[in-house]
């Protein structure tokens, strides 16, 4: 007399469920936690950066740029928070 476990093992639904778990685990291993990696920090002179690049630079450092900030305000904040290179 088959048990409930025997019936579950014969079920095609269990095969599909196991396959989906394997696929999900494989996708997690391949892509990791960041499927779309963040854009790199802008380089060069901050005066030549776009408004969006300045906002991204500030946000990466948890300096919380606001949507209402002008380009000049963002540039002042970027320049004030940049580290000076030692020679």
């Amino acid at each position: 007399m088959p048990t409930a476990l025997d019936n579950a093992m014969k079920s095609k639904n269990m095969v599909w469920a196991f396959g989906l778990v394997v696929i999900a685990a494989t996708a997690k291993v391949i892509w990791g936690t960041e499927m779309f990696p963040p854009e790199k920090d802008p380089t060069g002179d901050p005066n030549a950066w776009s408004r969006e690049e300045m906002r991204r630079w500030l946000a990466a450092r948890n300096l919380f740029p606001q949507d209402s900030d002008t380009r000049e305000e963002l540039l002042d904040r970027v320049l004030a928070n940049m580290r000076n290179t030692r020679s």
Side-chain angles (χ1 to χ4, degrees), residues 30-79:
I30 290 172
W31 285 308
T33 57
E34 294 186 20
M35 185 178 292
F36 302 106
E39 294 184 36
K40 294 184 178 181
D41 274 350
T43 58
D45 183 20
N47 292 316
W49 294 354
S50 68
R51 183 175 185 274
E52 197 55 41
E53 287 174 325
M54 287 188 263
R55 293 188 81 247
R56 187 174 65 238
W57 190 90
L58 291 167
R61 286 151 183 82
N62 293 326
L63 296 173
F64 306 108
Q66 297 179 356
D67 291 332
S68 60
D69 288 343
T70 64
R71 186 183 186 288
E72 290 75 23
E73 292 171 336
L74 292 171
L75 180 59
D76 290 340
R77 289 184 64 194
V78 166
L79 292 174

